[in-house]
């Protein structure tokens, strides 16, 4: 299958490489030359622009930072809805506002395109291993059309509901993750202040009722786990600014619906303070250091 992959960052690059490994012809584009070079080195076909990558693609996948990047890619006179072939299936895997996601999908539909939202969970390790969870919103037949490709990048493919539902699930999930990371960091810090070995503390809590995804797979305390960002200077992984964006999506969504998310609000403020202190590009587990302040 001819696939255009747009946005070859921490997540997009390994996802695109899994499609290449599965035998698909993947033409990719990223604004950053370093990412394009890495894609080329792994046998991807680099393009000079998003519209060049998409020109004869049967499926177009985007994996961009935020809502505004997705709007800029698809909408407007030079956006993909104006330049790509309407027979192409559009799959947006970025984490963006459910409202924006629905609006872009509606604009796509008006131009004859089928579009689904398919944000992911599982981090860069899941992207590399092809074990991501996809949370998909859109028409059932479009989800089935996408499924064979999504299965090359992920292990769990869930159809959450109508257009935008994938983003709604993702926003709820990441609000919980952001809170969990702060809570786990705080508990580890308290144990360390009591003289506990963080590895012993983590091992016991992992088998107790405080057990959670952060403790099991993404420990924020340096040296407790190998191959996680905390043991690599908090480089790579899922950026503080991306988590801040997701908590902003959650609190904005809650405010639109007059829903109450006090822990989400507090977490957003804490990640914001951490970002303002110059840590925006570090992995989000670096909030472990905020708990020390
Ligand atoms: P990233 O910043 O590493 O990558 C985004 C890439 O998009 C960058 O390389 C950037 O140059 C490129 N880009 C921006 N605008 C572009 C455009 N118009 N055309 C082509 N390329 C463009 O971010 P990431 O970590 O890969 O995350 C991507 C999305 O996935 C975000 O929405 C994030 O919230 C979500 N996400 C990330 C993780 C994670 O662990 N990193 C996990 C789940 C979901």
């Amino acid at each position: 299958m001819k696939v255009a992959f747009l946005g070859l960052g921490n997540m997009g690059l390994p996802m695109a490489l899994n499609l290449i490994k599965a035998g698909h012809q993947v033409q990719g584009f990223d604004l950053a030359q370093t990412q394009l070079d890495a894609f080329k080195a792994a046998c991807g076909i680099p393009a000079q622009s998003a519209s060049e990558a998409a020109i004869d693609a049967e499926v177009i996948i985007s994996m961009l930072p935020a809502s505004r990047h997705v709007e800029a890619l698809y909408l407007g006179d030079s956006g993909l809805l104006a330049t790509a072939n309407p027979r192409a299936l559009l799959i947006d895997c970025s984490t963006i506002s459910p409202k924006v996601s629905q609006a872009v999908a509606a604009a796509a539909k008006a131009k004859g395109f089928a579009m689904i939202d398919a944000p992911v969970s599982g981090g860069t390790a899941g992207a590399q291993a092809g074990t991501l969870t996809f949370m998909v919103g859109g028409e059932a037949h479009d989800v089935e059309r996408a499924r064979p490709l999504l299965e090359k990048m992920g292990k769990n493919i869930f159809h959450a509901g109508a257009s935008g539902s994938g983003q709604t699930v993702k926003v709820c999930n990441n609000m919980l993750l952001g809170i969990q990371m702060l809570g786990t960091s705080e508990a580890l810090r308290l144990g360390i202040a009591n003289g506990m070995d963080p590895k012993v503390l983590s091992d016991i809590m992992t088998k107790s009722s405080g057990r959670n995804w952060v403790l099991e797979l993404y420990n924020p305390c340096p040296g407790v786990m190998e191959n996680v960002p905390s043991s690599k200077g908090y480089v790579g992984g899922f950026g503080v600014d991306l988590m801040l964006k997701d908590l902003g999506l959650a609190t904005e969504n809650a405010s639109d619906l007059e829903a109450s998310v006090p822990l989400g609000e507090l977490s957003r403020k804490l990640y914001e303070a951490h970002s303002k202190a110059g840590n925006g590009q570090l992995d989000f587990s670096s909030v472990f250091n905020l708990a020390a302040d």
Side-chain angles (χ1 to χ4, degrees):
M1 199 177 269
K2 283 188 175 176
V3 180
F5 209 111
L6 312 170
L8 301 163
N10 287 336
M11 294 295 286
L13 183 62
M15 289 166 73
L17 299 190
N18 279 330
L19 294 180
I20 295 172
K21 271 189 228 147
H24 296 291
Q25 186 184 319
V26 185
Q27 204 157 9
F29 177 67
D30 194 289
L31 293 176
Q33 190 60 43
T34 47
Q35 298 309 112
L36 218 45
D37 291 345
F39 177 66
K40 189 176 171 190
C43 300
I45 309 163
Q48 292 309 307
S49 67
S51 48
E52 185 190 305
I55 198 110
D56 56 356
E58 296 158 78
V59 176
I60 299 173
I61 302 177
S62 46
M63 190 48 160
L64 303 180
S67 300
R68 67 178 189 283
H69 305 93
V70 173
E71 288 176 309
L73 179 71
Y74 289 102
L75 307 179
D77 290 345
S78 54
L80 289 182
L81 298 187
T83 59
N85 183 341
R87 279 195 294 272
L89 172 66
L90 311 180
I91 306 177
D92 181 37
C93 295
S94 330
T95 302
I96 65 168
S97 145
K99 236 176 13 189
V100 171
S101 182
Q102 281 167 347
V104 175
K109 193 173 178 185
K111 297 255 183 178
F113 288 90
M115 183 167 197
I116 58 174
D117 47 298
V120 303
S121 177
T124 48
Q128 280 155 18
T131 57
L132 293 170
T133 293
F134 282 88
M135 310 155 189
V136 190
E139 303 277 349
H141 53 91
D142 296 329
V143 179
E144 290 319 305
R145 221 175 128 193
R147 193 178 288 277
L149 271 188
L150 301 184
E151 283 174 345
K152 297 291 180 294
M153 301 181 280
K155 189 166 72 168
N156 298 300
I157 322 296
F158 291 107
H159 184 195
S163 173
S165 307
Q167 298 294 353
T168 299
V169 176
K170 176 68 182 168
V171 162
C172 295
N173 181 76
N174 274 28
M175 182 176 79
L176 181 57
L177 173 64
I179 294 168
Q180 259 179 12
M181 182 58 83
L182 284 166
T184 304
S185 295
E186 209 168 281
L188 288 172
R189 282 278 173 201
L190 181 62
I192 293 165
N194 277 281
M196 282 297 304
D197 175 339
K199 169 116 181 59
V200 172
L201 179 60
S202 297
D203 286 348
I204 297 172
M205 291 199 294
T206 301
K207 298 277 182 259
S208 307
S209 47
R211 174 181 175 191
N212 67 65
W213 185 89
V214 170
L215 267 180
E216 277 181 293
L217 297 171
Y218 215 94
N219 199 297
C221 178
V224 172
M225 269 178 188
E226 283 176 18
N227 289 324
V228 290
S230 60
S231 294
K232 296 187 245 176
Y234 297 108
V235 170
F238 181 49
V240 168
D241 282 346
L242 287 178
M243 176 51 87
L244 181 56
K245 171 206 58 158
D246 291 354
L247 288 164
L249 292 176
T251 51
E252 197 182 284
N253 181 261
S255 153
D256 285 351
L257 299 169
E258 295 183 21
S260 167
V261 289
L263 288 178
E265 293 277 5
L266 177 60
S267 300
R268 197 194 63 71
K269 284 184 188 142
L270 292 169
Y271 282 96
E272 186 175 49
H274 190 52
S275 173
K276 280 189 177 153
N279 303 303
Q281 300 306 310
L282 295 181
D283 180 74
F284 81 121
S285 61
S286 62
V287 287
F288 179 73
N289 292 328
L290 186 73
D293 293 343

